[in-house]
Amino acid sequence: MGLGIWAMHYIGMLAYKLPMAVLYDWPIVVLSLLAAILASGVALFVVSRQKMGLLSIAAGGLFMGTGIAGMHYIGMESMRLPAMCHYSPSIVILSVILAIVISLAALWLAFQLRNDTTDTGLRKLASAVLMGTAIPVMHYTGM
């Protein structure tokens, strides 16, 4: 799951064409991959537990959301190009909050639906779509 999140992000970065050469510092790229894998590991750990209290879901959403944001901003830091990147602190904070809130909701839904065998799959699909939106919503808010 972490590799899939990371690959989606880097494919998007590679697809973005700038009027200058863009290179990537591979140790920082690997660090962004590790952030995505760690965030995914925590998310899967949280939803695989027998019980999930308020503290568990809050910690899982916080860790997953900040992991997604960390993967994004670490990935952006790996870019090497003859230009300067400037971030608006309020927009960065908003992007991290959105990633956390969407991750929290998606983890809660995934936990609630994990043993539901009577559902037609629509709610599970909605949960997967919600979790999948955390990355582009955070990414494009931050961009």
Side-chain angles (χ1 to χ4, degrees), residues 23-82:
L23 302 172
Y24 296 91
D25 183 31
W26 72 266
I28 297 175
V29 169
V30 171
L31 188 59
S32 74
L33 170 61
L34 293 176
I37 290 171
L38 188 58
S40 297
V42 167
L44 292 173
F45 174 75
V46 167
V47 298
S48 69
R49 301 179 57 108
Q50 288 294 334
K51 293 182 181 181
M52 183 169 56
L54 187 58
L55 185 59
S56 301
I57 187 69
L62 178 68
F63 203 92
M64 175 117 184
T66 56
I68 289 169
M71 182 250 343
H72 167 74
Y73 289 109
I74 292 167
M76 295 300 293
E77 186 61 30
S78 74
M79 294 175 72
R80 299 293 179 256
L81 63 158

Coordinates of all heavy atoms in Angstrom, one line a residue, residues 23-82:
L23 N 15.9 17.1 -11.7 CA 16.5 15.8 -11.2 C 16.0 15.6 -9.8 O 15.4 16.4 -9.2 CB 18.1 16.0 -11.3 CG 18.7 16.3 -12.6 CD1 20.1 16.6 -12.5 CD2 18.4 15.2 -13.6
Y24 N 16.3 14.4 -9.3 CA 15.9 14.0 -8.0 C 17.0 13.4 -7.2 O 17.8 12.6 -7.7 CB 14.7 13.0 -8.1 CG 13.5 13.5 -8.7 CD1 13.3 13.4 -10.1 CD2 12.6 14.2 -8.0 CE1 12.2 14.0 -10.7 CE2 11.4 14.8 -8.6 CZ 11.3 14.7 -9.9 OH 10.2 15.2 -10.5
D25 N 17.1 13.9 -5.9 CA 18.2 13.4 -5.0 C 17.7 12.0 -4.5 O 16.7 12.0 -3.7 CB 18.4 14.4 -3.9 CG 19.5 14.0 -3.0 OD1 20.5 13.3 -3.4 OD2 19.4 14.4 -1.8
W26 N 18.3 10.9 -4.9 CA 17.7 9.6 -4.6 C 17.7 9.3 -3.1 O 16.7 8.6 -2.7 CB 18.4 8.5 -5.4 CG 19.8 8.2 -5.0 CD1 21.0 8.7 -5.5 CD2 20.2 7.3 -4.0 NE1 22.0 8.2 -4.9 CE2 21.6 7.3 -4.0 CE3 19.5 6.4 -3.1 CZ2 22.4 6.5 -3.1 CZ3 20.3 5.7 -2.2 CH2 21.7 5.7 -2.2
P27 N 18.6 9.7 -2.2 CA 18.4 9.4 -0.8 C 17.2 10.0 -0.2 O 16.5 9.4 0.6 CB 19.7 9.9 -0.1 CG 20.7 9.9 -1.2 CD 20.0 10.3 -2.5
I28 N 16.9 11.2 -0.7 CA 15.6 11.9 -0.2 C 14.4 11.2 -0.8 O 13.4 11.1 -0.1 CB 15.7 13.4 -0.5 CG1 16.9 14.0 0.3 CG2 14.4 14.1 -0.1 CD1 17.1 15.5 0.0
V29 N 14.5 10.7 -2.0 CA 13.4 10.0 -2.6 C 13.1 8.7 -1.8 O 12.0 8.4 -1.5 CB 13.7 9.6 -4.1 CG1 12.7 8.7 -4.7 CG2 13.8 10.9 -5.0
V30 N 14.2 8.0 -1.4 CA 14.0 6.8 -0.6 C 13.4 7.2 0.7 O 12.5 6.4 1.2 CB 15.3 6.1 -0.4 CG1 15.2 4.9 0.6 CG2 15.8 5.5 -1.8
L31 N 13.8 8.3 1.3 CA 13.2 8.7 2.6 C 11.7 9.0 2.4 O 10.9 8.6 3.3 CB 13.9 10.0 3.1 CG 13.5 10.5 4.5 CD1 13.8 9.4 5.5 CD2 14.3 11.8 4.8
S32 N 11.3 9.5 1.3 CA 9.8 9.8 1.1 C 9.1 8.4 0.9 O 8.0 8.3 1.3 CB 9.6 10.7 -0.1 OG 9.8 10.0 -1.3
L33 N 9.7 7.5 0.3 CA 9.2 6.1 0.1 C 9.0 5.5 1.5 O 7.9 4.9 1.8 CB 10.1 5.2 -0.7 CG 9.7 3.7 -0.8 CD1 8.3 3.5 -1.3 CD2 10.7 3.0 -1.6
L34 N 10.0 5.6 2.4 CA 9.9 5.1 3.7 C 8.7 5.7 4.5 O 8.0 5.1 5.3 CB 11.2 5.2 4.5 CG 12.3 4.4 3.9 CD1 13.6 4.7 4.6 CD2 12.0 2.9 3.9
A35 N 8.5 7.0 4.3 CA 7.4 7.7 5.0 C 6.1 7.1 4.6 O 5.2 6.9 5.4 CB 7.5 9.2 4.7
A36 N 5.9 6.9 3.3 CA 4.7 6.3 2.8 C 4.5 4.9 3.3 O 3.4 4.5 3.7 CB 4.7 6.3 1.3
I37 N 5.5 4.1 3.3 CA 5.4 2.7 3.8 C 5.1 2.7 5.3 O 4.2 1.9 5.8 CB 6.7 1.9 3.5 CG1 6.8 1.7 2.0 CG2 6.8 0.6 4.3 CD1 8.1 1.1 1.5
L38 N 5.8 3.5 6.1 CA 5.5 3.6 7.5 C 4.1 4.0 7.8 O 3.4 3.4 8.6 CB 6.5 4.5 8.2 CG 6.5 4.6 9.7 CD1 6.8 3.2 10.3 CD2 7.6 5.5 10.2
A39 N 3.6 5.1 7.1 CA 2.2 5.5 7.3 C 1.2 4.4 7.0 O 0.2 4.2 7.7 CB 2.0 6.8 6.4
S40 N 1.5 3.7 5.9 CA 0.6 2.6 5.5 C 0.6 1.5 6.5 O -0.4 0.9 6.8 CB 1.0 2.1 4.1 OG 0.8 3.1 3.2
G41 N 1.8 1.2 7.0 CA 1.9 0.1 8.0 C 1.1 0.5 9.3 O 0.4 -0.4 9.8
V42 N 1.2 1.7 9.7 CA 0.4 2.1 10.9 C -1.1 2.0 10.6 O -1.8 1.5 11.4 CB 0.8 3.6 11.3 CG1 -0.2 4.1 12.3 CG2 2.2 3.6 11.9
A43 N -1.5 2.5 9.4 CA -2.9 2.4 9.1 C -3.4 1.0 9.1 O -4.5 0.7 9.6 CB -3.1 3.0 7.7
L44 N -2.6 0.1 8.5 CA -3.1 -1.3 8.4 C -3.1 -2.0 9.8 O -3.9 -2.8 10.2 CB -2.1 -2.1 7.5 CG -2.3 -1.8 6.0 CD1 -1.2 -2.5 5.2 CD2 -3.7 -2.1 5.5
F45 N -2.1 -1.6 10.7 CA -2.1 -2.0 12.1 C -3.3 -1.6 12.8 O -4.0 -2.4 13.5 CB -0.8 -1.5 12.8 CG -0.8 -1.9 14.2 CD1 -0.5 -3.2 14.6 CD2 -1.0 -0.9 15.2 CE1 -0.5 -3.5 16.0 CE2 -1.0 -1.2 16.5 CZ -0.7 -2.5 16.9
V46 N -3.7 -0.3 12.6 CA -4.9 0.2 13.3 C -6.1 -0.5 12.9 O -6.9 -0.9 13.8 CB -5.0 1.8 13.1 CG1 -6.4 2.3 13.5 CG2 -3.9 2.5 13.8
V47 N -6.4 -0.7 11.7 CA -7.6 -1.3 11.2 C -7.6 -2.8 11.5 O -8.7 -3.4 11.4 CB -8.0 -1.0 9.8 CG1 -8.2 0.5 9.6 CG2 -7.0 -1.5 8.8
S48 N -6.5 -3.4 11.7 CA -6.5 -4.9 11.9 C -6.7 -5.3 13.4 O -6.8 -6.5 13.7 CB -5.2 -5.5 11.4 OG -4.1 -5.0 12.2
R49 N -6.7 -4.3 14.3 CA -6.9 -4.6 15.7 C -8.4 -5.1 16.0 O -9.3 -4.8 15.2 CB -6.6 -3.4 16.5 CG -5.1 -3.0 16.3 CD -4.8 -1.8 17.1 NE -5.0 -2.0 18.5 CZ -4.1 -2.1 19.4 NH1 -2.8 -2.1 19.1 NH2 -4.4 -2.3 20.7
Q50 N -8.5 -5.8 17.1 CA -9.9 -6.3 17.5 C -10.8 -5.2 17.8 O -12.0 -5.2 17.4 CB -9.8 -7.3 18.7 CG -9.1 -8.6 18.3 CD -10.0 -9.4 17.4 OE1 -11.2 -9.2 17.4 NE2 -9.4 -10.3 16.6
K51 N -10.3 -4.2 18.5 CA -11.1 -3.0 18.9 C -10.4 -1.8 18.6 O -9.1 -1.7 18.5 CB -11.4 -3.0 20.4 CG -12.2 -4.2 20.9 CD -12.5 -4.1 22.4 CE -13.4 -5.3 22.8 NZ -13.7 -5.2 24.2
M52 N -11.2 -0.7 18.3 CA -10.5 0.5 17.9 C -11.3 1.6 18.7 O -12.4 2.0 18.4 CB -10.6 0.8 16.4 CG -9.9 2.1 16.1 SD -9.6 2.3 14.3 CE -11.2 2.2 13.6
G53 N -10.6 2.2 19.7 CA -11.2 3.2 20.5 C -10.9 4.6 19.9 O -10.2 4.7 18.8
L54 N -11.4 5.6 20.5 CA -11.2 7.0 20.0 C -9.7 7.3 19.9 O -9.3 8.0 18.9 CB -11.9 8.0 20.9 CG -12.0 9.4 20.5 CD1 -12.6 9.5 19.1 CD2 -12.7 10.2 21.5
L55 N -8.9 6.9 20.9 CA -7.5 7.2 20.9 C -6.8 6.5 19.8 O -5.9 7.1 19.1 CB -6.9 6.9 22.3 CG -5.4 7.2 22.5 CD1 -5.2 8.7 22.3 CD2 -4.9 6.8 23.8
S56 N -7.1 5.3 19.5 CA -6.5 4.5 18.4 C -6.8 5.1 17.1 O -5.9 5.3 16.3 CB -7.0 3.1 18.4 OG -6.8 2.4 19.6
I57 N -8.0 5.5 16.8 CA -8.4 6.1 15.5 C -7.8 7.4 15.4 O -7.3 7.8 14.3 CB -9.9 6.1 15.3 CG1 -10.3 6.5 13.9 CG2 -10.6 7.0 16.3 CD1 -9.9 5.5 12.8
A58 N -7.7 8.2 16.5 CA -7.1 9.5 16.4 C -5.6 9.4 16.1 O -5.1 10.1 15.2 CB -7.3 10.3 17.7
A59 N -4.9 8.5 16.8 CA -3.5 8.3 16.6 C -3.2 7.8 15.2 O -2.3 8.2 14.5 CB -2.9 7.4 17.6
G60 N -4.1 6.8 14.7 CA -3.9 6.3 13.4 C -4.1 7.3 12.3 O -3.3 7.4 11.4
G61 N -5.2 8.1 12.4 CA -5.4 9.2 11.5 C -4.3 10.2 11.5 O -3.9 10.7 10.4
L62 N -3.9 10.6 12.6 CA -2.8 11.6 12.8 C -1.5 11.0 12.1 O -0.9 11.7 11.3 CB -2.6 11.9 14.2 CG -1.4 12.9 14.5 CD1 -1.8 14.3 14.0 CD2 -1.1 12.9 16.0
F63 N -1.2 9.8 12.4 CA 0.1 9.2 11.9 C 0.0 9.0 10.4 O 0.9 9.4 9.6 CB 0.4 7.9 12.6 CG 1.8 7.6 12.5 CD1 2.7 8.0 13.5 CD2 2.3 6.9 11.4 CE1 4.1 7.7 13.4 CE2 3.7 6.6 11.3 CZ 4.5 7.0 12.3
M64 N -1.2 8.5 9.9 CA -1.3 8.3 8.5 C -1.3 9.6 7.7 O -0.7 9.8 6.7 CB -2.6 7.5 8.2 CG -2.9 7.4 6.7 SD -2.9 5.7 6.3 CE -3.1 5.8 4.5
G65 N -2.1 10.6 8.2 CA -2.2 11.9 7.5 C -0.8 12.6 7.5 O -0.4 13.1 6.4
T66 N -0.1 12.6 8.6 CA 1.2 13.2 8.6 C 2.2 12.4 7.8 O 3.1 13.0 7.2 CB 1.7 13.5 10.0 OG1 1.7 12.2 10.7 CG2 0.9 14.5 10.8
G67 N 2.0 11.1 7.7 CA 2.9 10.3 6.9 C 2.7 10.6 5.4 O 3.7 10.7 4.6
I68 N 1.4 10.8 5.0 CA 1.1 11.1 3.6 C 1.7 12.5 3.3 O 2.4 12.7 2.3 CB -0.4 11.1 3.3 CG1 -0.9 9.6 3.4 CG2 -0.7 11.8 2.0 CD1 -2.4 9.5 3.4
A69 N 1.5 13.5 4.2 CA 2.0 14.8 4.0 C 3.5 14.8 4.0 O 4.2 15.5 3.2 CB 1.5 15.8 5.1
G70 N 4.1 14.0 4.9 CA 5.6 13.9 5.0 C 6.1 13.3 3.7 O 7.1 13.8 3.1
M71 N 5.5 12.3 3.2 CA 5.9 11.7 1.9 C 5.9 12.8 0.8 O 6.8 12.9 0.0 CB 5.0 10.5 1.5 CG 5.4 9.8 0.2 SD 4.3 10.0 -1.2 CE 2.8 10.6 -0.7
H72 N 4.8 13.6 0.8 CA 4.7 14.6 -0.3 C 5.8 15.7 -0.1 O 6.5 16.0 -1.1 CB 3.3 15.3 -0.2 CG 3.2 16.5 -1.0 ND1 3.1 16.5 -2.3 CD2 3.2 17.8 -0.6 CE1 3.1 17.8 -2.7 NE2 3.1 18.6 -1.7
Y73 N 5.9 16.3 1.1 CA 6.9 17.4 1.2 C 8.3 16.9 1.2 O 9.2 17.6 0.7 CB 6.5 18.2 2.5 CG 5.3 19.0 2.3 CD1 4.1 18.7 2.9 CD2 5.2 20.0 1.4 CE1 2.9 19.4 2.7 CE2 4.1 20.8 1.1 CZ 2.9 20.4 1.8 OH 1.8 21.1 1.6
I74 N 8.6 15.7 1.7 CA 10.0 15.1 1.5 C 10.2 14.9 0.1 O 11.3 15.2 -0.4 CB 10.1 13.8 2.4 CG1 10.1 14.1 3.8 CG2 11.4 13.1 2.0 CD1 9.9 12.9 4.7
G75 N 9.2 14.4 -0.7 CA 9.4 14.2 -2.1 C 9.7 15.4 -2.9 O 10.5 15.5 -3.8
M76 N 9.0 16.5 -2.5 CA 9.2 17.8 -3.1 C 10.6 18.3 -2.8 O 11.2 18.9 -3.6 CB 8.2 18.8 -2.6 CG 6.7 18.5 -3.0 SD 6.5 18.4 -4.8 CE 6.7 20.1 -5.3
E77 N 11.1 18.0 -1.6 CA 12.4 18.4 -1.2 C 13.5 17.7 -2.0 O 14.6 18.2 -2.2 CB 12.7 18.2 0.3 CG 14.0 18.7 0.8 CD 14.1 20.2 0.7 OE1 13.1 20.9 0.7 OE2 15.3 20.6 0.5
S78 N 13.2 16.5 -2.6 CA 14.1 15.8 -3.4 C 14.4 16.4 -4.8 O 15.3 16.0 -5.4 CB 13.7 14.3 -3.5 OG 12.6 14.2 -4.5
M79 N 13.5 17.3 -5.2 CA 13.7 17.9 -6.5 C 14.9 18.8 -6.6 O 15.2 19.6 -5.7 CB 12.4 18.7 -6.9 CG 11.2 17.9 -7.0 SD 9.7 18.9 -7.3 CE 10.0 19.4 -9.0
R80 N 15.7 18.6 -7.7 CA 16.8 19.4 -7.9 C 16.6 20.2 -9.2 O 16.6 19.5 -10.3 CB 18.1 18.6 -8.0 CG 18.4 17.9 -6.7 CD 18.7 18.9 -5.6 NE 19.0 18.2 -4.3 CZ 18.2 18.2 -3.3 NH1 17.0 18.8 -3.4 NH2 18.5 17.6 -2.2
L81 N 16.4 21.5 -9.2 CA 16.2 22.2 -10.4 C 16.7 23.7 -10.1 O 16.8 24.1 -9.0 CB 14.7 22.2 -10.7 CG 13.7 22.8 -9.7 CD1 12.4 23.2 -10.5 CD2 13.4 21.9 -8.6
P82 N 16.9 24.4 -11.2 CA 17.4 25.8 -11.1 C 16.2 26.8 -10.8 O 15.9 27.6 -11.6 CB 18.0 26.1 -12.4 CG 17.3 25.2 -13.4 CD 16.9 24.0 -12.6

